Amino acid sequence: MSDSILADTAQRLFAERFTPELLRAADAGHWSDDAWTAAWAAIEEMGLPLALVPEEAGGFGVEMVDALGLVRIAGSFAAPVPLAETMLAAWLLAGAGLAIPAGPLGIAPTQSTKSDLALTRDGASWRLTGTAQRVPWGRVATAVALLVEHESGAADSGALVCRLEPGDWTVEEGRNIAGEPRDTLRIDATLDPARVAPAASGVTPADLFAMGATLRSLAMAGAIERVLELTVQYAEERVQFGRPLGKFQAVQQNLAVLASQAAAAGAAADGAAEALAERNGGVLRVLPIAAAKLRCGEAAGLTASIAHQMHGAIGFTHEHVLHHLTRRLWSWRDEFGNESVWALRIGREVAEAGADGLWPLVTAA
């Protein structure tokens, strides 16, 4: 399947499956309903969760930038499914040579590059204890791919990937603003050697955090583009004082700002995806990712504000699709680091480069 056909097919799939009725059911927390289960089964049947996995590991072998574009499409439909998390978890497991189970997957840690998770030897097995905070979709995951630093002074020192299964944790349920599961997993498990392996190509928790930020940036870019489309359509159709809203100069100015935010977010997210694709086992360029998460987060806030101002009260009604998108924008901007986190990272990178290194740093990014 060519990349353009894959994107077009994904568009049709999400448009068909993620109806307003399904979005409202997801808001109510009905994650095991027939419609939600069928939607995820259709996504799996199409192979989307394995888009980042190489062919030799059983995946699609899609170019990374094109595979990441699927997350942008899902974001544009406010799809309440863990596609991004499952793609990232499958990539992490495949890189470590671990089996990839069917079903939705979780990823941890997500809050920062540090955690209280401790991995120690227990004879021929491993002992993992600690807490993984706000794991996306933890309660519905068939497995969670967890990356943890291990320092034993032996050959297995470094970042290790662990494949956890539901019996390895207890769940304390949580939600983000959009109502999506963000669960605390309390882990106390003994893992056999077949479920623990070194991460591929020196992947670190910092890399994982940056990859998560890239996926959230892409999802926000997709949602912002859809919000722009909905708002322009509403301004053309809604008549006030005898003419469409879009004919008023103040409204046109707001639409122009909204369009500029969508363009900026899309370009920034594309840059982050390209940086991720260029890693190829080497050092990950974090500056484009930091800039993307920062810029998309800023755009998310402005986009939601303008869109709801334009739609008025109707945008908040239970039946309208707008709030499904804007609540996800508000949630995603805080996940895998908010604007402050990534602004500080950019500041550190610039300060470390110094005056003479600033221009090479910017042009390399």
Side-chain angles (χ1 to χ4, degrees), residues 40 44 49 86 101-105 140 142:
W40 180 259
E44 274 200 320
T86 302
L105 305 178
V140 300
T142 57

Side-chain angles (χ1 to χ4, degrees), residues 160-180:
L160 299 179
V161 179
C162 305
R163 191 185 76 241
L164 306 184
E165 298 165 358
D168 296 328
W169 66 72
T170 57
V171 178
E172 181 182 315
E173 294 187 356
R175 293 155 58 97
N176 64 11
I177 297 172
E180 297 172 325

Side-chain angles (χ1 to χ4, degrees), residues 107-230:
I107 191 79
T110 63
Q111 292 302 292
S112 69
T113 59
K114 297 181 180 179
S115 71
D116 68 348
L117 294 164
L119 183 65
T120 56
R121 277 290 188 183
D122 184 9
S125 301
W126 293 89
R127 189 74 179 168
L128 180 65
T129 58
T131 303
Q133 301 281 352
R134 295 189 65 78
V135 176
W137 306 89
R139 77 191 69 164
V140 300
T142 57
V144 170
L146 188 146
L147 187 64
V148 60
E149 292 282 6
H150 174 67
E151 297 180 5
S152 67
D156 53 25
S157 293
L160 299 179
V161 179
C162 305
R163 191 185 76 241
L164 306 184
E165 298 165 358
D168 296 328
W169 66 72
T170 57
V171 178
E172 181 182 315
E173 294 187 356
R175 293 155 58 97
N176 64 11
I177 297 172
E180 297 172 325
R182 295 296 184 264
D183 302 325
T184 297
L185 306 185
R186 306 196 184 281
I187 303 162
D188 187 356
T190 299
L191 310 178
D192 62 68
R195 293 202 281 150
V196 181
S201 305
V203 175
T204 66
D207 290 338
L208 183 65
F209 192 62
M211 293 178 76
T214 301
L215 294 174
R216 287 293 185 264
S217 297
L218 287 160
M220 284 192 285
I224 289 168
E225 289 163 357
R226 179 78 184 285
V227 169
L228 171 62
E229 178 184 312
L230 290 171

